[in-house]
Amino acid sequence: MKKQLITTVAAAAIAVSAVVPYNVLSTPVAHAEEQAKPNYKNRDEIPVEYKWNLEDMYKSKAAWEADVKKAEDLSAKFKKNHQGKIGKSALNLTNALKDYAALSVISDKAYVYANLSFDVNQSNSSLQALTDRAEKMSAKVSANTSWFKPEVVSIPKKEIERFLRNKMTAPYKYFIKDMIRTKDHTLTKQEEELLAKVSPLNDTGSGVYAMLAKDVKFPMIKDSSGKDVQLTRSNFISYMESKDRNVRKQAYEAYYQTLGKFQDSFSQTLTAQVKSHNIGAEVRNYKSALEAAVVPNNVPSKVYDQLISSVNKGLPLMHRYMELKKKMLGVDELHMYDIYTPIVEADETYIPYADAEKMVLEGLKPMGEDYVNTLKKAFDQRWIDVYSTDDKATGAYQWGSYGSHPYLLLNYQGTKDDVSTIAHELGHAVHSYMSSEKQNYFNSNYATFTAEVASTLNEALLWNSEYKNAKTKEEKMFLLNQRLENFRTTLFRQTQFAEFEEAIHELDQKGEALNAETYKKVYGDINKKYYGKAMAADEEIPMEWARIPHFYNYNFYVYQYATSFAASTALSKQITDEGAPAVKRVKDNFLTAGGSSDPISILKGAGVDMSTSKPIDQAMQVFEETLNEMEKLMNEK
C-alpha cells in the first residue's frame, strides 16, 4: 500500500516549482476547441466520467464492511496460529508468510477504499466514520501482527539460512533477507521495548516546530499597488514571484528578519532533532545518523555522499545559470529574492482535460504501445478523479492496494503544470500496476528511493515531446526555463539541503555546540557555494534553515528528491538516444521489479548505477545542453 504525493506537493515548502518567465511573451497554444474552465460547486455536479470508480474495489458498503471484519478476524487468527511457532521449521515460516500476505491484501484494500472515499468528499460525516472504522481496523491488525518481524529476526542465523535454502521459501527470500538484514542493529527484546516506550519523544522537535512555525506572525508589507497586505508563510512565495522587485525585497527581508527574532527557539528545536538522530544511531550501533537513516532502506551511505560530491562538481554550471538569470532579469545585482520571479511570461490559456490527455499520451509514446495502452486504460476506466471541489483533498496523489488497480487524485485547473502532474502521477500508477502484476505481495511494494523515478521520468519525456512540438521562440524559452528551474529546485537545491543536514549532524557527533549562529554559518556558506559569485551576499539567507520543515520532520530524506531526478533524467536521455533497448531495460528491470531487490540493484538493471557519479554526470550534461540552448535563443534576434 503506497500513497505517492507529487514531488512539487511533497516538497512544496522547500522547493519552489518551476518558475515561468515574464519579460519574454509566449504565444498561446491553439486548442482545437476553446472551453471554459469548469467550476463545480459539489461532487454531484461533476460528470461521472471525471470521477474515479471505487466500485472496482467494492460494489457496496456491505462488501467493504465484510472485509473489515474479515481482516480483524484473520489478524486474531494469525496471532493465535503462528506466534511462537515460526522459528520451528521452514514450513511454519512459509505458512505464516502466506497468511500474513492474505491478511494484508484484505486490510490494505479496505483501508485504501475508506480513505479514497473520504478524500473526494471530506464534508461527508458518514465517510469520516468510514475512515475512523478503517483506522480502528488497521490498529487492531497492527496489534495482532506487531510480533511477527521481531520473531523472524530472532531466529538464529544458522536456522534462517537453512530455511532460506528450502524451495518453499523461495517466493519470500528477498523479503526475509531484508527483514534480517539489519539484525546486527536490532537490540534485545527488553531494549526494544524500552525504545518503543520512549519513541514518542523522538517527534518532540517536529511537534514544537509545527507549533512554532504556526505561531510566528509576520508583518504587513505593501503590494505592487501600494496597499498594505499581510505577509504569511502561505503567501510568501507568491510575493517572491512578484514582477515588482520592491515587493519581492520587502517580503524577503520581512520574512527572514522575523524568523531571526525566533532563531534561538528554532535552533533549539532543530538541535533536539539532530541529537535524537545521533543518539538513536549510536544506540543501534551505526557509525552515523546518516547511516542509520539510509541503511535500513537498503541504500549504502556512499550514495548520499556521492550525490553531494557529484553535484558539487557541477556547480560551475549552476553559477553560469545564475549569471544568465541576472542578465535576463536585467539587474545590476542578483539577490536571492530575484531567483523566484518569472523571466518568461507563462501561457495561461486554459487546457481542456481532453487536450491534456492527448498531450500526455503523445508525450509518453516513447515508452511503447503497451505502456500507452495502460495509460489509456487509466483514462477510460475511471482510475482518475479529475476536478476539484471545496471538500476534496488538495494536491495530487496515486494510491491503491495489491490486487486492485491504482487510483489517481487530481485537482485539475487546466495549467501546463497540471498536465505535467497527470504525467507524474501516471508514472507512479504504471509503476505500481506493473509491479503488482509481476510480483507477489511482499515484493510489489517499491522503495521510497525508487518511487519518484518513474514519475519524474514521465515528466521528462513529456517535456521532450512539448519542446519538440514547440513552434515559436517564446514557447521554447518557456520550456527551457521550466527545465532549468526544475534542475535548480530539485537536483541542486535538494542536494544543498542534504549537504546541510549531513554537516550539522557531523558537528554534533564531534561534540561541537549547535546553536543559531552555527546553523547560520553552515547554511550561509553552503548557499554561497551553490549560487556563486553572481549572487549578492544577502544577510537574510543564512536564516533559511529555519523555514525548511523537512529538517525537523524527516531524517535524511530530501536527498532522494535529487537522486530520483538525476536517475530519471539519465533514463530519459537513454530512452531518447537508444530507443527500444533502453525502454525494455526500464520496463523489465525497473517498472515490473517493485521491491524484489535492493533499490540500487533495481535502478542499475534499468541503466543507472546510483552508487557511481555517472547518472549525476548524465543529468549535468542535460542541464548544460539546456543552458546552451537557452543562451543560444537569448542571443538570437
Side-chain angles (χ1 to χ4, degrees), residues 1-2 57 107-117 399-401 404 407:
M1 179 172 67
K2 187 178 288 288
M57 297 186 82
S107 62
D108 287 358
K109 181 182 176 184
Y111 185 86
V112 170
Y113 174 85
N115 282 274
L116 292 178
S117 300
W399 204 6
S401 65
S404 72
Y407 286 89

Side-chain angles (χ1 to χ4, degrees), residues 303-575:
V303 171
Y304 195 102
D305 292 327
Q306 181 67 63
L307 170 70
I308 293 173
S309 174
S310 298
V311 169
N312 270 250
K313 289 177 183 176
L315 286 179
L317 291 173
M318 175 68 160
H319 301 163
R320 187 174 138 201
Y321 176 42
M322 290 300 101
E323 294 285 359
L324 178 63
K325 253 187 181 294
K326 180 179 177 181
K327 181 179 179 181
M328 292 183 75
L329 286 170
V331 295
D332 293 331
E333 270 193 338
L334 184 70
H335 291 263
M336 288 299 294
Y337 54 77
D338 291 319
I339 63 174
Y340 300 129
T341 189
I343 52 177
V344 177
E345 189 70 47
D347 173 18
E348 296 180 357
T349 305
Y350 176 75
I351 303 171
Y353 183 69
D355 287 5
E357 179 180 336
K358 291 174 185 175
M359 291 167 69
V360 170
L361 293 175
E362 176 65 27
L364 299 181
K365 272 185 178 179
M367 291 301 294
E369 186 178 358
D370 58 337
Y371 191 95
V372 172
N373 285 339
T374 302
L375 301 180
K376 289 179 179 177
K377 193 182 296 186
F379 286 116
D380 297 341
Q381 297 182 10
R382 295 173 52 207
W383 295 10
I384 308 173
D385 206 87
V386 180
Y387 294 112
S388 61
T389 55
D390 288 343
D391 60 354
K392 183 177 180 179
T394 58
Y397 66 68
Q398 175 270 154
W399 204 6
S401 65
Y402 189 81
S404 72
H405 64 71
Y407 286 89
L408 284 72
L409 182 139
L410 304 176
N411 279 279
Y412 187 75
Q413 299 295 316
T415 67
K416 284 183 176 291
D417 280 347
D418 286 335
V419 178
S420 185
T421 295
I422 296 171
H424 181 107
E425 296 307 329
L426 284 170
H428 286 312
V430 178
H431 191 189
S432 299
Y433 186 72
M434 294 179 71
S435 291
S436 293
E437 280 198 324
K438 182 75 172 180
Q439 304 295 335
N440 63 36
Y441 173 81
F442 294 111
N443 290 344
S444 65
N445 196 21
Y446 46 84
T448 303
F449 189 83
T450 60
E452 292 298 329
V453 176
S455 55
T456 51
L457 172 60
N458 272 12
E459 288 188 77
L461 294 173
L462 176 64
W463 187 93
N464 289 343
S465 172
E466 289 182 322
Y467 192 73
K468 180 181 178 182
N469 294 319
K471 299 293 190 297
T472 67
K473 174 182 176 180
E474 291 76 19
E475 285 181 86
K476 290 179 180 179
M477 289 188 69
F478 168 83
L479 290 165
L480 290 168
N481 182 79
Q482 183 186 56
R483 174 178 263 187
L484 289 169
E485 279 299 290
N486 283 338
F487 269 91
R488 182 184 72 79
T489 59
T490 309
L491 183 58
F492 289 102
R493 185 165 167 82
Q494 304 310 316
T495 304
Q496 176 186 346
F497 292 161
E499 189 167 345
F500 174 74
E501 273 192 285
E502 184 175 26
I504 61 177
H505 282 79
E506 287 180 348
L507 286 174
D508 179 66
Q509 194 175 25
K510 292 174 183 176
E512 297 188 26
L514 293 181
N515 52 45
E517 295 306 318
T518 301
Y519 292 136
K520 288 195 292 186
K521 176 69 166 61
V522 174
Y523 194 90
D525 287 348
I526 293 174
N527 192 80
K528 186 183 298 183
K529 178 174 69 173
Y530 271 71
Y531 284 91
K533 294 180 180 179
M535 186 66 66
D538 295 324
E539 64 181 37
E540 289 84 8
I541 198 61
M543 271 303 300
E544 190 174 36
W545 57 269
R547 177 180 159 252
I548 312 303
H550 280 57
F551 296 156
Y552 303 83
N553 299 331
Y554 298 92
N555 185 9
F556 291 97
Y557 185 89
V558 296
Y559 85 100
Q560 294 170 114
Y561 293 131
T563 54
S564 294
F565 184 86
S568 62
T569 300
L571 288 175
S572 69
K573 181 170 176 58
Q574 291 174 26
I575 289 170

Side-chain angles (χ1 to χ4, degrees), residues 9-183:
V9 170
I14 60 172
V16 179
S17 57
V19 178
V20 272
Y22 76 83
N23 60 356
V24 179
L25 296 175
S26 61
T27 304
V29 177
H31 298 297
E33 181 181 348
E34 289 293 340
Q35 296 180 18
K37 179 180 175 181
N39 182 22
Y40 299 110
K41 296 178 181 177
N42 57 64
R43 190 157 180 80
D44 291 338
E45 293 182 359
I46 302 176
V48 67
E49 62 266 28
Y50 301 119
K51 295 188 283 191
W52 55 27
N53 182 16
L54 296 185
E55 288 189 3
D56 286 349
M57 297 186 82
Y58 290 103
K59 297 294 183 184
S60 66
K61 186 180 177 183
W64 174 81
E65 288 174 337
D67 259 7
V68 169
K69 181 67 168 59
K70 186 176 182 180
E72 292 176 336
D73 292 344
L74 285 175
S75 70
K77 190 179 293 185
F78 178 79
K79 183 176 182 179
K80 179 181 178 182
N81 292 345
H82 299 295
Q83 188 173 18
K85 304 172 186 176
I86 59 175
K88 294 182 178 179
S89 69
L91 178 61
N92 282 9
L93 176 57
T94 301
N95 287 338
L97 286 164
K98 287 179 180 178
D99 288 348
Y100 186 86
L103 159 64
S104 298
V105 168
I106 295 170
S107 62
D108 287 358
K109 181 182 176 184
Y111 185 86
V112 170
Y113 174 85
N115 282 274
L116 292 178
S117 300
F118 177 68
D119 278 355
V120 293
N121 200 349
Q122 293 182 332
S123 63
N124 188 313
S125 58
S126 65
L127 294 178
Q128 177 64 66
L130 207 70
T131 60
D132 291 344
R133 179 73 181 92
E135 290 291 345
K136 290 176 182 177
M137 177 270 296
S138 181
K140 187 173 287 188
V141 170
S142 295
N144 283 328
T145 58
S146 61
W147 58 271
F148 182 55
K149 182 176 178 179
E151 192 164 315
V152 173
V153 172
S154 69
I155 298 173
K157 185 178 179 181
K158 287 186 178 180
E159 284 296 289
I160 201 71
E161 288 177 348
R162 182 168 63 83
F163 293 172
L164 288 171
R165 288 194 294 269
N166 193 307
K167 289 182 180 179
M168 68 175 68
T169 64
Y172 317 108
K173 193 170 185 177
Y174 178 74
F175 178 74
I176 296 169
K177 283 187 171 183
D178 196 47
M179 274 201 289
I180 64 175
R181 180 173 50 81
T182 56
K183 186 173 182 175

Side-chain angles (χ1 to χ4, degrees), residues 575-617:
I575 289 170
T576 301
D577 293 346
E578 300 175 36
V583 172
K584 189 175 189 304
R585 280 199 310 271
V586 170
K587 290 177 181 175
D588 293 350
N589 301 316
F590 169 48
L591 293 179
T592 59
S596 59
S597 184
D598 66 274
I600 300 300
S601 296
I602 287 173
L603 288 176
K604 189 174 182 179
V608 286
D609 186 354
M610 296 306 298
S611 67
T612 72
S613 65
K614 189 174 180 181
I616 314 295
D617 295 340

